[in-house]
Amino acid sequence: MDEKKLIEQKIFNNTDDYQDIMAIPYHHSKRHLPMNQLDRAFQFAPFGALEGFSDLIQQKTKDYARKKYLNSTEEDKIKRQLEYLTNHPRKVDISYFNDESGYYEHLKGYLQKLDWKKGRAEFEDTSIVILNIRLIQLLNNNDSPKKGS
């Protein structure tokens, strides 16, 4: 017999430590029905709650594959534009990556609130992650993008 089997046999077949409780009869509860075997097995599957989690991660990975990340110069430009909009309310056309859909979307509106701690810009009824903003264009009165912004 190999060494591993000898160790297993010594560990799992030695019941000397449990002789005092081996003869005690099993007590069946009068208040609770016995748990069925399937439910009993589930309590020993701690990662069962994470079932489907890897599929969700794969889907989000596919969604984020479409995202274009800005370089530091472009990020600084977006931050300066947002700072400008906090002091000079103007209607803008925002191109941003939507985390929910996994695609770029446009939003036309006015900046309501800028929260640097949370990294979010609030527009009327939409909150956008600042790092997801790709382009900010000022709009004229007739809602067409203004050149040079």
Side-chain angles (χ1 to χ4, degrees):
M1 203 178 287
D2 69 347
E3 186 178 355
K4 182 180 176 189
K5 289 205 185 267
L6 285 171
I7 292 170
E8 285 178 356
Q9 188 176 32
K10 183 178 179 184
I11 292 172
F12 297 115
N13 291 335
N14 185 358
T15 59
D16 293 341
D17 294 338
Y18 307 104
Q19 288 302 319
D20 59 332
I21 62 170
M22 295 287 275
I24 297 175
Y26 178 72
H27 170 71
H28 295 279
S29 173
K30 294 178 182 174
R31 289 189 216 156
H32 303 287
L33 294 174
M35 184 183 290
N36 70 43
Q37 282 188 326
L38 187 59
D39 289 341
R40 187 178 302 275
F42 280 142
Q43 74 180 343
F44 295 105
F47 298 105
L50 299 177
E51 190 174 310
F53 189 64
S54 63
D55 295 337
L56 178 64
I57 290 173
Q58 283 182 325
Q59 182 58 45
K60 281 295 178 187
T61 302
K62 287 178 187 175
D63 290 347
Y64 273 84
R66 293 186 280 269
K67 183 176 180 180
K68 306 289 187 263
Y69 293 90
L70 303 177
N71 61 38
S72 61
T73 306
E74 294 167 327
E75 282 182 25
D76 290 341
K77 180 182 176 186
I78 296 292
K79 289 176 183 177
R80 283 193 314 274
Q81 289 175 320
L82 290 170
E83 284 292 338
Y84 175 82
L85 290 172
T86 58
N87 299 320
H88 305 89
R90 296 279 307 271
K91 190 168 187 177
V92 291
D93 181 6
I94 302 283
S95 174
Y96 70 100
F97 182 80
N98 186 332
D99 293 328
E100 297 296 318
S101 68
Y103 291 96
Y104 278 92
E105 296 181 3
H106 283 274
L107 171 76
K108 292 181 181 179
Y110 291 89
L111 177 67
Q112 301 294 316
K113 181 181 171 189
L114 195 55
D115 189 342
W116 290 113
K117 287 183 181 178
K118 292 182 181 179
R120 300 192 77 82
E122 308 281 336
F123 291 87
E124 282 96 31
D125 59 348
T126 305
S127 177
I128 300 173
V129 175
I130 293 171
L131 292 176
N132 286 351
I133 297 174
R134 183 171 62 177
L135 181 66
I136 300 176
Q137 292 183 300
L138 296 176
L139 295 176
N140 290 332
N141 292 339
N142 61 3
D143 286 351
S144 62
K146 184 178 180 182
K147 301 286 186 212
S149 54

